[in-house]
Amino acid sequence: MAPVRILNRDVDATKRQIFDDSLSTVQSDSTQNMVSWFTSPFKNPLKARNSIGGGISKSSAQYNDAMFENNSLSSVGEVIKHPVVPASNGGKRRAVESVAHSIELARDSSDGNYDQPITQNVVEASNNSWDDGPIAALQATDASDVTSTMGSTTSKASVPSSRTSAGEPFIKLEPQDNEILLHTYTSPMPSLSSLSSQLSAAKSTTPADLRPSKPEQTAKPTKASPKAKRIRFNELRPRTSIPQNLTTTEFAQQSIHAAYSSRLNPFALNQDEYRLLRNHISQLHVTAYLNIRNRILRLWVRNPLVGVTPEEAAGCAASSRWLNVAEVAYEWLLRNGYINFGCVEVPDTSHLKVRVYKSKRYKRKTIAVIGAGMAGLGCARQLEALFRQYHYRLSLLGEEPPKVIVLEGRNRIGGRVYSHPLHNQTAARIPEHARCTAEMGAHIITGFDHGNPLNMIIRGQLALHCHLLTDNSILYDSDGKLIEKQQDSMVESLYNDILDRASIYRHRAAGPVNVEGDKTLIEAGRDPQGEAGLMIGASENDRMEESIRAGSDQLENVPGGMDKLTGKAHMVMGSRKKTAPALAAQAMGWKLASNVLASRDLNLDAVARGMENPTLGAAMDEAVKQYQFLLDLSPQDMRLINWHYANLEYANAVNLSKLSLSGWDQDTGNEFDGQHAQVVGGYQQVPCGILQYPSHLDLRTRKVARRIAYDPDGRLGGTARILCDDGEDIDADRVVLTTPLGILKEGNLTFDPPLPTWKLETINRLGFGTLNKIVLVYDRPFWDIEQDMFGLLRESDFPGSLDQEDYVKSRGKFYLFWNCIKTSGRPVLIALMAGEAAVHAESSSDADLVVGVTKELRRVFKDSNVPMPSETIVTRWGNDRFARGTYSYVGPTSLPGDYDVMAKPVGNLHFAGEATCGTHPATVHGAYISGLRAAAEIIEAYLGPIEIPTPLVPGATNVDSSPKRMSQKRKAGEPLAAPVVGTEAAKTAPVLETEAAKAARLDALERDILSTIFAEIGQQPTNIGAKKGSNPFLLYSMEKWEECKQRVSEARQASDASTKKYTNEIRSIVAQMWRKESDETKRRYREQTTSNRLANNENAATFDARLASWNERALEIRRKYLEDRPNALSAEEEQSMWRQLGVQEQGRKAKMMSGYALKTESME
């Protein structure tokens, strides 16, 4: 899938086209109608955002499914794959709205075949309805896989897995130097000539050559080209990005949502923002900054296929007074990777002419990124984008944009994201052109909502198919019998209580300095008025005290349940004061042992405070032992508890006895919301997309770094040299090291000079664990393919034991099975090995592991003839010489802030990777975020810190004027001259009006006008949120939601079951109830949706007329109001008001009707 290419950068960037993304609009009659919602704008484009208001007319959206059916572009993928960007069309740009919202779409079940909600069956929908192929699925071939006639072999040192096969097994051969695992992009139909003719030959959507190529040379402007002008924010037009078809409140809500979707608090400054602005902005102006920042994010979130331009960012300012603020907000978001990141064409400044003396030119610099995983590729792609956008600034410094090269030791990209192709590529239940793969490493996207940057890349840019996971798992005992739900729930509650009691010993850092804006104004979309006060940095000490008090509050994050999909605990706000364990156990449904006092408490101090480096495992084991005195725990209860232990070991990639008691969950509170997901056809499509779009990165494989010589002082002109295994020396000005922490701990990569002590000590303190998998491929499934996973309890070393220590070695062996049929296209199970079992698998043979897991499966599925798998793959990440493990954890000797220390550069040597991201360690998105951070460090090293204009917000100025008679209209800002003090005239003379006073006067007048209008004719008609439910499942969900929420609350014995932590479980229960409903019940909801659609169509048909009538009547009321108050406005102020409303001066006839409320409410 090729993102939209901007072929003519002279096109007015402020005229970004967007689609109406209200949820009611995207609810469609069927999957095919859902597809036509995306494709119809290409036949009937929505009105482009104009330079005045930046909005679109909703009435211009024509959704014609019949036209779609006859269109040669038969899928969303084809539309995105062949984008059209006219070179000259009056500034209108065709773009594709972010498909991030598409995952929330709901399907109708009118044909009886789509009764389940799309949020749980995305893959099925795409297979049943999109017959012409996937959304440009990224395909790959692995040249290293060849067919052999006999035998099985363990993996070589450079390969993290071994594979065996029944019948015709495989031998994993060492690939040749020129064999690189890259994805090829195939089209399900021939390219349309009318579309491909407008694409650059060097950037065709189906590249013919996928091997690393030289960076594309930017063509220099010819003499006939118009001279480009440098963009200066204070010369740009404000308000151009504020839409005309939304009220201020609706616009503000979209902007607030965009901030949440970008890992930022819409109502408070980020810590980096605070450090940047602390001496330049007052508390009053924080609100204006946040408004502008949120509006810029809105532009990006709504369309991540097109980079946000400076013109658009300036257009987010409500007036010219805030243009400096808009510039700072835009540059901070840009540098730090909150906008214009990923596979996107960004604004280019290379065409700007700069006079630079040759004597000031330096040799073109080189940035070397070591590692082509998500951190390395993300950093390289971000650097390329930043250098392109800062080309002009670099030219002023006499610099060419530095060259970025990526060095990878393997013959493939992705690092620990590796989708191994299966031998049999005969696929089912996945898009036609998707590969059949199995995930060797990273497997799950842990929530798309609230800021996961992979959301923009996977769904908004690459448009990859994803399968949304549901926690519909069941557990089997070691004898193969099904565990009763009630017993499972009681033990899970007990386990959560144990984890909660251990959490009281965690390290509690002081909260961050929190500078908030005016929430009321931000939610209303209004900027503050008045003069600036003290800078926010002046009250820093007070805020530090507040943060310390917040850190010592009695409320904190406590475990509120386990996420079986990831092994991590759901954290909720709770009290540090714990209920007596006996009473807590009784509330869970347990019966106390005889002669147990209800007031008896657990005491973990002996372990937590008696050890030099206490561990989580030791504290939890002690809690289990003490609970055994309170409760009569059976061997099955012990197996269930240890299953949850194994799941937590899976989340941390290590035995719990090696986790720090005080810091194991130091990233608590940073989790992303939303359903977890898997990429259909392979997670590795993501790094491959980053590698190739919008231009191919300079990738060099089989470059194994052995020694790095660097400049520890970071002096100007200091260089680095990388010595590779093949003998080649690579010179660079800066190096970004993204190798896994396991490689740094191993010590085979040397540094000259040696790394400083503070860095080495941190490397030694942090841990790096191991998780392994067994991939089992069958010819046909013998399990329930609708269940995404199922668990298996493991027996202790001594069957029936009640001793916790007897379960340590075996509890993580084959404890969880992933059903991957919906993502791999083949009947595939992946068995996980966590904790001690993962370490033991490193030295176990394939045959022993396969026989062992097959034995367990036959015990569970007694009624099925469980065959030996036709193909198997066993991972051994601990033996992989390029990883030495899977992901990091907080070891017993770790100190608070170790992850941040890992991230700190040493001179011109920078660090990235999941082990350098303290907020999201051990995750793919954490690795990607660290790459964005490293890129920000490098751009600052070249350009310096962000320059803050002084003053950031222009202050008010007095204007001298000659006296005027009060009966006459005066010019704007022209008060009467001051009379002689003591005279009668001095008592009645007007006071000199400052800019702030003027703004306050106009604001009060506008509020009074609007109050008069609303009192007479009511609020302006709006079409957003007016649609009634047009999907039967959604109607059903609304009716059953409270009932299901109550069931979840009772099952969990929680005090607040309405938290978002339980929403996925509620959705799952609703979906199950819907599937079980009778046809008669479903018919009632279908009939209701039919009625709703008719009402929606009628409402849409009359909306324009009702809006025009309301606007016309409002103008009449406004005109009469001003006629009754002739001195309320000066002549210039009144002309400005009518001009902002889009009304002609003569005849007072409105030129535009939509957006009336926004213009009047926001007028200054």
Side-chain angles (χ1 to χ4, degrees):
M1 189 284 301
V4 174
R5 303 252 333 144
I6 305 304
L7 306 182
N8 184 355
R9 299 307 303 180
D10 294 332
V11 174
D12 185 359
T14 64
K15 299 178 181 180
R16 170 193 299 262
Q17 178 181 327
I18 58 177
F19 299 160
D20 180 7
D21 62 345
S22 61
L23 185 60
S24 58
T25 301
V26 300
Q27 293 173 356
S28 54
D29 295 345
S30 66
T31 305
Q32 183 166 328
N33 287 346
M34 180 187 73
V35 177
S36 68
W37 179 80
F38 286 101
T39 57
S40 60
F42 285 87
K43 302 180 290 282
N44 300 297
L46 301 180
K47 185 180 294 183
R49 188 162 64 217
N50 58 55
S51 59
I52 297 178
I56 60 173
S57 173
K58 297 178 184 178
S59 60
S60 62
Q62 304 295 328
Y63 307 126
N64 190 329
D65 293 334
M67 295 179 65
F68 169 72
E69 292 172 357
N70 297 326
N71 192 349
S72 58
L73 297 179
S74 57
S75 72
V76 179
E78 284 306 296
V79 175
I80 300 178
K81 194 167 184 177
H82 302 283
V84 182
V85 183
S88 178
N89 63 346
K92 295 182 180 180
R93 180 190 305 177
R94 295 187 185 185
V96 182
E97 171 67 333
S98 167
V99 295
H101 300 292
S102 66
I103 209 70
E104 304 296 338
L105 301 181
R107 289 183 285 132
D108 188 12
S109 54
S110 57
D111 57 1
N113 295 325
Y114 304 104
D115 286 344
Q116 301 180 31
I118 193 170
T119 54
Q120 299 183 30
N121 294 274
V122 176
V123 177
E124 289 84 339
S126 59
N127 291 327
N128 292 332
S129 301
W130 298 350
D131 297 329
D132 290 308
I135 304 179
L138 309 179
Q139 305 303 318
T141 57
D142 189 352
S144 62
D145 284 335
V146 293
T147 304
S148 176
T149 56
M150 291 291 293
S152 170
T153 180
T154 57
S155 57
K156 296 190 177 182
S158 62
V159 182
S161 65
S162 63
R163 60 188 291 167
T164 60
S165 175
E168 297 185 67
F170 287 91
I171 296 179
K172 186 76 174 180
L173 300 183
E174 193 73 2
Q176 300 301 318
D177 288 345
N178 61 349
E179 293 174 346
I180 174 173
L181 180 61
L182 292 177
H183 286 358
T184 58
Y185 295 72
T186 58
S187 174
M189 62 175 59
S191 301
L192 303 180
S193 59
S194 60
L195 301 179
S196 59
S197 63
Q198 300 185 56
L199 296 174
S200 169
K203 296 289 187 263
S204 61
T205 58
T206 308
D209 186 6
L210 294 176
R211 302 188 185 281
S213 56
K214 296 181 179 180
E216 181 184 4
Q217 299 296 327
T218 304
K220 296 182 179 180
T222 62
K223 292 183 179 180
S225 301
K227 184 176 181 180
K229 184 181 179 181
R230 179 187 176 187
I231 297 176
R232 300 179 186 274
F233 259 76
N234 56 8
E235 297 176 357
L236 298 178
R237 298 178 60 187
R239 299 187 60 85
T240 57
S241 296
I242 299 177
Q244 301 176 1
N245 64 321
L246 298 177
T247 65
T248 52
T249 302
E250 292 165 340
F251 179 53
Q253 291 304 311
Q254 291 184 3
S255 302
I256 290 170
H257 177 268
Y260 279 130
S261 300
S262 304
R263 310 188 303 283
L264 292 173
N265 184 343
F267 306 111
L269 295 178
N270 176 276
Q271 290 303 293
D272 291 336
E273 288 176 304
Y274 171 74
R275 285 189 287 269
L276 176 68
L277 299 171
R278 57 189 297 272
N279 295 322
H280 302 277
I281 196 171
S282 69
Q283 181 66 52
L284 182 68
H285 295 156
V286 167
T287 300
Y289 174 87
L290 293 173
N291 274 335
I292 294 172
R293 179 249 271 170
N294 297 346
R295 293 165 189 166
I296 296 173
L297 290 170
R298 173 185 173 274
L299 293 174
W300 170 247
V301 169
R302 288 173 66 82
N303 191 353
L305 286 173
V306 182
V308 180
T309 65
E311 293 91 342
E312 290 177 310
C316 292
S319 71
S320 58
R321 185 189 186 196
W322 306 112
L323 285 177
N324 286 345
V325 176
E327 180 178 11
V328 173
Y330 175 71
E331 190 158 358
W332 185 83
L333 292 172
L334 181 63
R335 287 195 183 193
N336 290 278
Y338 289 98
I339 61 174
N340 296 7
F341 63 84
C343 309
V344 60
E345 185 76 18
V346 296
D348 185 12
T349 62
S350 61
H351 61 289
L352 299 178
K353 295 182 178 180
V354 182
R355 177 180 295 179
V356 180
Y357 294 104
K358 292 184 178 181
S359 60
K360 292 185 178 181
R361 286 191 175 274
Y362 303 100
K363 178 183 177 181
R364 186 182 185 189
K365 291 181 168 54
T366 299
I367 312 296
V369 180
I370 300 178
M374 284 296 291
L377 291 174
C379 179
R381 173 59 64 205
Q382 182 71 357
L383 284 172
E384 291 275 13
L386 289 173
F387 291 151
R388 184 179 179 90
Q389 292 168 97
Y390 285 108
H391 188 287
Y392 178 84
R393 295 269 296 275
L394 291 168
S395 298
L396 289 176
L397 300 174
E399 298 274 4
E400 292 184 62
K403 180 181 181 181
V404 181
I405 62 175
V406 182
L407 308 178
E408 170 57 45
R410 305 179 192 267
N411 71 308
R412 63 171 177 84
I413 65 171
R416 285 163 281 172
V417 178
Y418 180 28
S419 306
H420 200 301
L422 301 180
H423 171 49
N424 190 339
Q425 289 290 315
T426 304
R429 301 175 65 87
I430 63 174
E432 178 183 355
H433 298 276
R435 294 188 311 158
C436 298
T437 63
E439 302 295 358
M440 302 292 97
H443 199 156
I444 301 174
I445 304 165
T446 55
F448 278 119
D449 299 341
H450 281 192
N452 192 336
L454 298 185
N455 181 38
M456 295 297 172
I457 297 175
I458 294 175
R459 301 199 290 185
Q461 295 170 350
L462 299 179
L464 297 175
H465 289 270
C466 290
H467 169 61
L468 297 183
L469 301 171
T470 56
D471 187 2
N472 56 356
S473 62
I474 55 177
L475 297 180
Y476 294 96
D477 204 347
S478 56
D479 59 0
K481 295 182 180 179
L482 191 65
I483 298 294
E484 295 182 0
K485 285 290 185 181
Q486 182 180 3
Q487 184 71 7
D488 180 19
S489 177
M490 289 173 55
V491 173
E492 182 178 351
S493 298
L494 180 62
Y495 167 81
N496 291 334
D497 181 82
I498 293 172
L499 192 62
D500 185 15
R501 295 181 189 279
S503 68
I504 65 176
Y505 299 99
R506 69 154 61 102
H507 172 75
R508 294 175 177 84
V513 176
N514 192 29
V515 180
E516 297 183 344
D518 189 319
K519 186 175 182 180
T520 301
L521 289 178
I522 294 174
E523 290 180 335
R526 301 188 61 82
D527 293 333
Q529 304 292 342
E531 294 295 331
L534 294 175
M535 299 298 104
I536 55 177
S539 55
E540 184 170 340
N541 291 335
D542 294 337
R543 291 194 174 91
M544 287 295 295
E545 292 178 1
E546 291 178 3
S547 67
I548 294 174
R549 286 195 298 271
S552 61
D553 195 0
Q554 291 302 309
L555 291 178
E556 63 177 359
N557 283 312
V558 297
M562 286 301 299
D563 185 350
K564 292 181 180 178
L565 296 172
T566 62
K568 294 188 176 182
H570 287 307
M571 307 304 289
V572 297
M573 292 302 296
S575 174
R576 292 182 185 175
K577 186 176 181 180
K578 309 303 178 185
T579 306
L583 296 178
Q586 286 180 318
M588 301 173 202
W590 292 93
K591 292 183 179 180
L592 299 180
S594 58
N595 301 323
V596 171
L597 297 178
S599 59
R600 181 168 178 174
D601 200 358
L602 298 185
N603 186 357
L604 306 181
D605 286 350
V607 173
R609 308 191 191 281
M611 299 174 61
E612 181 179 359
N613 297 305
T615 66
L616 176 66
M620 293 182 65
D621 287 348
E622 180 63 24
V624 170
K625 292 177 182 179
Q626 295 188 31
Y627 255 123
Q628 287 179 317
F629 288 101
L630 302 178
L631 309 173
D632 292 326
L633 296 179
S634 66
Q636 185 184 69
D637 296 330
M638 295 297 295
R639 290 193 294 270
L640 269 169
I641 290 176
N642 279 276
W643 187 92
H644 290 288
Y645 267 60
N647 212 28
L648 190 57
E649 291 174 340
Y650 152 57
N652 293 275
V654 73
N655 187 298
L656 298 188
S657 63
K658 297 181 180 180
L659 283 177
S660 168
L661 175 60
S662 62
W664 72 274
D665 59 346
Q666 56 87 38
D667 59 325
T668 293
N670 296 304
E671 301 87 356
F672 295 129
D673 289 341
Q675 285 183 271
H676 303 317
Q678 295 174 343
V679 179
V680 177
Y683 208 156
Q684 202 172 10
Q685 296 172 93
V686 179
C688 286
I690 295 174
L691 170 70
Q692 298 197 54
Y693 291 123
S695 61
H696 205 295
L697 295 174
D698 186 351
L699 171 67
R700 306 176 188 182
T701 58
R702 294 193 175 278
K703 294 296 180 183
V704 182
R706 277 295 169 217
R707 178 174 172 272
I708 301 175
Y710 67 100
D711 175 13
D713 300 323
R715 298 185 304 270
L716 181 64
T719 59
R721 174 166 293 184
I722 304 167
L723 174 63
C724 299
D725 256 359
D726 58 5
E728 181 181 1
D729 287 346
I730 299 175
D731 293 329
D733 297 274
R734 291 189 174 271
V735 176
V736 182
L737 184 62
T738 71
T739 55
L741 177 61
I743 300 300
L744 297 178
K745 295 176 76 69
E746 184 182 38
N748 287 339
L749 177 61
T750 60
F751 299 87
D752 182 19
L755 293 176
T757 303
W758 56 267
K759 179 71 76 171
L760 291 175
E761 290 177 347
T762 305
I763 292 173
N764 292 330
R765 286 194 299 265
L766 285 175
F768 197 68
T770 301
L771 174 75
N772 279 311
K773 303 177 180 180
I774 302 181
V775 179
L776 307 167
V777 185
Y778 299 92
D779 294 329
R780 59 182 58 85
F782 51 82
W783 60 91
D784 184 356
I785 62 175
E786 296 303 322
Q787 285 186 329
D788 290 321
M789 66 181 205
F790 58 89
L792 177 63
L793 308 190
R794 305 295 295 164
E795 186 58 89
S796 68
D797 296 339
F798 303 95
S801 173
L802 295 177
D803 190 344
Q804 179 67 8
E805 295 180 359
D806 294 338
Y807 291 87
V808 174
K809 293 182 180 180
S810 61
R811 64 191 176 205
K813 189 175 184 179
F814 320 138
Y815 88 98
L816 186 66
F817 290 82
W818 285 102
N819 168 30
C820 300
I821 193 170
K822 296 180 180 180
T823 56
S824 68
R826 300 284 301 159
V828 173
L829 289 177
I830 294 183
L832 299 185
M833 294 176 287
E836 293 297 323
V839 177
H840 184 262
E842 298 281 334
S843 57
S844 301
S845 68
D846 290 355
D848 289 344
L849 292 173
V850 173
V851 169
V853 71
T854 302
K855 179 181 178 180
E856 299 300 332
L857 288 173
R858 287 173 176 171
R859 185 177 291 129
V860 170
F861 300 100
K862 298 182 179 68
D863 297 333
S864 302
N865 183 17
V866 178
M868 291 295 290
S870 60
E871 182 180 356
T872 63
I873 309 173
V874 179
T875 69
R876 292 181 176 87
W877 284 102
N879 290 330
D880 181 358
R881 68 188 182 105
F882 295 109
R884 299 304 184 201
T886 48
Y887 39 87
S888 62
Y889 64 87
V890 182
T893 61
S894 296
L895 300 177
D898 272 353
Y899 278 101
D900 296 331
V901 175
M902 279 296 303
K904 289 183 178 180
V906 181
N908 61 351
L909 178 60
H910 302 260
F911 295 83
E914 55 85 16
T916 69
C917 184
T919 56
H920 301 89
T923 61
V924 176
H925 55 261
Y928 182 78
I929 291 172
S930 75
L932 298 180
R933 186 255 311 146
E937 293 172 356
I938 291 177
I939 199 66
E940 181 167 328
Y942 282 111
L943 300 180
I946 297 175
E947 297 179 1
I948 307 295
T950 304
L952 181 58
V953 180
T957 57
N958 293 334
V959 182
D960 294 331
S961 60
S962 58
K964 300 287 182 180
R965 294 192 309 181
M966 292 299 294
S967 58
Q968 297 178 341
K969 290 242 179 183
R970 52 186 173 81
K971 294 184 178 180
E974 191 175 41
L976 295 174
V980 179
V981 177
T983 63
E984 185 65 24
K987 300 179 181 179
T988 59
V991 181
L992 292 177
E993 188 178 39
T994 64
E995 288 293 330
K998 172 186 173 183
R1001 173 175 58 83
L1002 295 178
D1003 184 70
L1005 178 66
E1006 185 62 30
R1007 287 180 179 275
D1008 193 35
I1009 294 175
L1010 290 177
S1011 298
T1012 303
I1013 294 173
F1014 296 156
E1016 188 166 340
I1017 61 176
Q1019 295 281 345
Q1020 182 190 36
T1022 177
N1023 204 26
I1024 294 183
K1027 290 193 174 183
K1028 300 178 181 179
S1030 57
N1031 182 279
F1033 175 74
L1034 293 183
L1035 292 177
Y1036 181 84
S1037 298
M1038 287 188 288
E1039 287 188 10
K1040 301 295 182 180
W1041 189 265
E1042 290 299 326
E1043 175 185 340
C1044 294
K1045 186 170 70 173
Q1046 182 64 27
R1047 289 172 55 183
V1048 172
S1049 176
E1050 293 175 355
R1052 291 179 174 269
Q1053 296 292 324
S1055 60
D1056 182 9
S1058 63
T1059 62
K1060 293 184 178 179
K1061 304 298 182 181
Y1062 301 137
T1063 54
N1064 289 341
E1065 186 172 348
I1066 298 173
R1067 289 176 184 143
S1068 177
I1069 295 177
V1070 173
Q1072 293 174 10
M1073 293 174 59
W1074 172 255
R1075 287 193 292 267
K1076 295 178 182 179
E1077 289 289 358
S1078 64
D1079 292 339
E1080 182 64 28
T1081 301
K1082 293 180 179 179
R1083 185 180 300 110
R1084 177 166 57 87
Y1085 290 98
R1086 296 189 185 110
E1087 292 174 352
Q1088 180 62 43
T1089 56
T1090 301
S1091 176
N1092 290 346
R1093 288 192 197 101
L1094 295 176
N1096 293 339
N1097 293 336
E1098 182 180 357
N1099 179 70
T1102 61
F1103 172 71
D1104 286 346
R1106 289 185 287 110
L1107 179 63
S1109 176
W1110 189 94
N1111 283 341
E1112 184 175 356
R1113 182 75 180 103
L1115 289 174
E1116 294 177 358
I1117 298 172
R1118 176 180 291 268
R1119 189 178 301 111
K1120 185 177 185 304
Y1121 180 97
L1122 295 176
E1123 289 174 353
D1124 295 340
R1125 299 165 180 80
N1127 295 321
L1129 294 172
S1130 68
E1132 293 182 7
E1133 289 170 347
E1134 185 173 357
Q1135 291 175 4
S1136 175
M1137 179 197 69
W1138 293 118
R1139 185 167 58 253
Q1140 290 189 52
L1141 288 172
V1143 179
Q1144 298 175 358
E1145 293 187 15
Q1146 294 182 355
R1148 298 281 193 255
K1149 183 178 180 181
K1151 293 187 293 184
M1152 294 179 292
M1153 295 301 178
S1154 63
Y1156 171 87
L1158 173 65
K1159 285 299 179 183
T1160 54
E1161 290 181 24
S1162 300
M1163 188 185 71
E1164 293 188 8

